[in-house]
Amino acid sequence: MRILKLLAALVVPALIAAPAHAAETKYPEKPIRLIIGSATGSGPDIISRQLSERLYDTWKQRVVVDARPGAAGAISADLTMGSAADGYTWMMLTSQLFVASQVLADIKFDLQRDFRSAALIGVTPFVLLSNNQLPVKSLKELIDLAKKQPGKLRYGSAGTGASEHLSGVLLNHLTGTNMLHVPYKGVAQSITDALANEVQMTYAVLPAALPHIQGGRLRALGVTTAKRAILIPDVPSIGEVVPGYAMNAWYSIVVKNGTPPPVLAAMSREIVKVLREPAFGEKMKGLGIEMIAGDNAVLDAWRRDENKRIVEVVRLSGAKETK
């Protein structure tokens, strides 16, 4: 009898553990949907497609990039919240949506409560771009012109409440200028109108801005990070001219809260493995992205720290909407 009890004590836990192990090793068994809150051609879109291509080599399952621009990424969060918590719907959580969740009044989700961390990809600056017809060649000249023409200069962004929007609000706040904000459904539309001089300026992440800078179609006046970007070292950081100015763009992958831990562990492990590959890192570096390649624990800590910082920036800027 004692032997039977001992066997039962050994076998039953093993049987209980088997489904979780199977769930981890078999994942994924079907295509995955990766929802991004930005338009085609944006930084998140470029990164997502590179990641999707590499993960297919490993899993032989498609990671289908679903671009749902608008409301500074809030649409992507609502769609993810409406999906099953099974690991087959991912969302790219970016600084854009993170800022929007602190600015917009009608947000129906809570990023901290409703989404689980999978992987932190990396960071990149936003670039303040101007149309070549604007008679300025430096950030200082832009600030001087804006002070002479209050309310006359217009800058575009990826949407109200987006990081690009807040980048402009913060610049106005710290310089005492009044450059008007024009929201778009995505950075690609904002860049198009800056090229056409419908707006004189736009903020765009470096991956989306770089081709236009290199082609001479738009002028880079400054980057929003505290230090200069490696790919465009001649472009000063805005903080060099405006003390205290700093804004980051960053990219991560999250899933709906309730996703089974073995599935979350499996996806986190494989995403991070790809992110840490030298070849993948070189591709991202070529886009102006500084890789972090952190797992879910790293992203959890990043989100906590970023939340504290953004809450303070939003407070200082006065950008928070009221219901």
Side-chain angles (χ1 to χ4, degrees), residues 174-192:
L174 294 176
T175 60
T177 53
N178 182 26
M179 290 175 273
L180 298 182
H181 173 236
V182 180
Y184 292 87
K185 289 186 177 180
V187 69
Q189 293 180 1
S190 181
I191 288 175
T192 297

Side-chain angles (χ1 to χ4, degrees), residues 70-72 96 156-166 181-187:
Q96 177 189 47
S157 82
T160 300
S163 295
E164 298 92 337
H165 172 206
L166 197 59
H181 173 236
V182 180
Y184 292 87
K185 289 186 177 180
V187 69

